[in-house]
């Protein structure tokens, strides 16, 4: 849950509104007190002996409780799964608005390596798309959120590619091991159909960083704070399109 979005999907008037929630946002995790929002999954999973469904359930409960939302389901992937989904579609193509360099991009062995993405049109395989979506050393959370949203739009475009459209259901089956969800198969089938017809203009992304500020807790942990008298209403209004 280092990358966390809450989305509203409208099947009647096809459209998606997705809001990025910074992983460092300080929230109240039911039963565990205040912590960063991305820790909800770990708290729930560890309390249940490593069960992913318990982690997902507590994440849903945390988002619902703090933002006043009814959450119908959750979809999860990890770093390797993210790359697998991108590769299953043959990579993605997007326009990078400015060059991105990170001399200390973290590697799986807890080391570092250099990454660089030029401005302009670029093609990304799964591993590169993951690095593109994760890096934030150059431009912080706002830059990272922007890149994550570019990647998702590029994935939608690739799914709608005439070469991929007929095999989209097969791609979903092949990549099923990379994704965990509590959405039932009927809903998943409806989402596949929606992806085939959804226009990029019908996908709206947002963020709440403009309503947050950096702070340090008494324990020394750096977090985002927000005005909780307005944050829930702001999030709700965005998701319904107001």
């Amino acid at each position: 849950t280092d990358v966390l979005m809450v989305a509203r999907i409208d099947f009647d008037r096809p459209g998606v509104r997705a809001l990025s929630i910074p992983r460092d946002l300080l929230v109240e995790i039911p039963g565990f007190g205040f912590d960063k929002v991305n820790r909800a999954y770990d708290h729930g999973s560890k309390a249940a002996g490593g069960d992913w469904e318990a982690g997902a359930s507590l994440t849903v409960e945390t988002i619902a409780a703090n933002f006043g939302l009814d959450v119908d389901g959750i979809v999860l992937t990890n770093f390797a799964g993210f790359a697998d989904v991108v590769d299953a579609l043959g990579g993605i193509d997007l326009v990078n608005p400015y060059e991105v360099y990170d001399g200390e991009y973290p590697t799986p062995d807890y080391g570092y390596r250099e990454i660089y993405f030029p401005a302009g049109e670029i093609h990304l395989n799964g591993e590169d798309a993951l690095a593109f979506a994760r890096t934030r050393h150059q431009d912080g959370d706002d830059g990272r959120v922007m890149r994550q949203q570019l990647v998702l739009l590029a994935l939608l475009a690739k799914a709608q590619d005439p070469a991929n459209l007929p095999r989209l259901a097969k791609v979903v089956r092949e990549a099923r091991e990379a994704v965990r969800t509590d959405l039932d198969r009927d809903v998943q089938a409806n989402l596949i159909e929606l992806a085939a017809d959804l226009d990029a203009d019908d996908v709206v992304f947002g963020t709440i960083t403009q309503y947050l500020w950096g702070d340090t807790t008494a324990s020394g942990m750096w977090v985002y704070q927000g005005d909780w008298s307005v944050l829930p209403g702001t999030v709700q209004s965005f998701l319904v399109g107001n």
Side-chain angles (χ1 to χ4, degrees), residues 9 11 72 172 176 181-195:
I9 300 172
F11 289 100
D72 299 306
V172 171
R176 193 176 300 281
T181 181
D182 59 359
L183 297 174
D184 64 39
R185 293 296 176 90
D186 288 341
V187 173
Q188 293 181 46
N190 289 337
L191 289 170
I192 293 173
E193 291 182 14
L194 180 68

Side-chain angles (χ1 to χ4, degrees), residues 141-188:
D141 277 306
D142 285 335
R144 178 165 63 178
V145 164
M146 176 269 294
R147 283 186 290 276
Q148 291 163 359
Q149 295 171 353
L150 286 176
V151 166
L152 288 177
L153 283 174
L155 278 168
L156 175 62
K158 201 58 182 286
Q160 294 177 330
D161 186 310
N164 279 326
L165 206 52
R167 54 184 292 269
L168 193 55
K170 180 181 178 182
V171 169
V172 171
R173 289 194 298 271
E174 290 175 349
R176 193 176 300 281
E177 293 302 316
V179 178
R180 289 174 171 173
T181 181
D182 59 359
L183 297 174
D184 64 39
R185 293 296 176 90
D186 288 341
V187 173
Q188 293 181 46

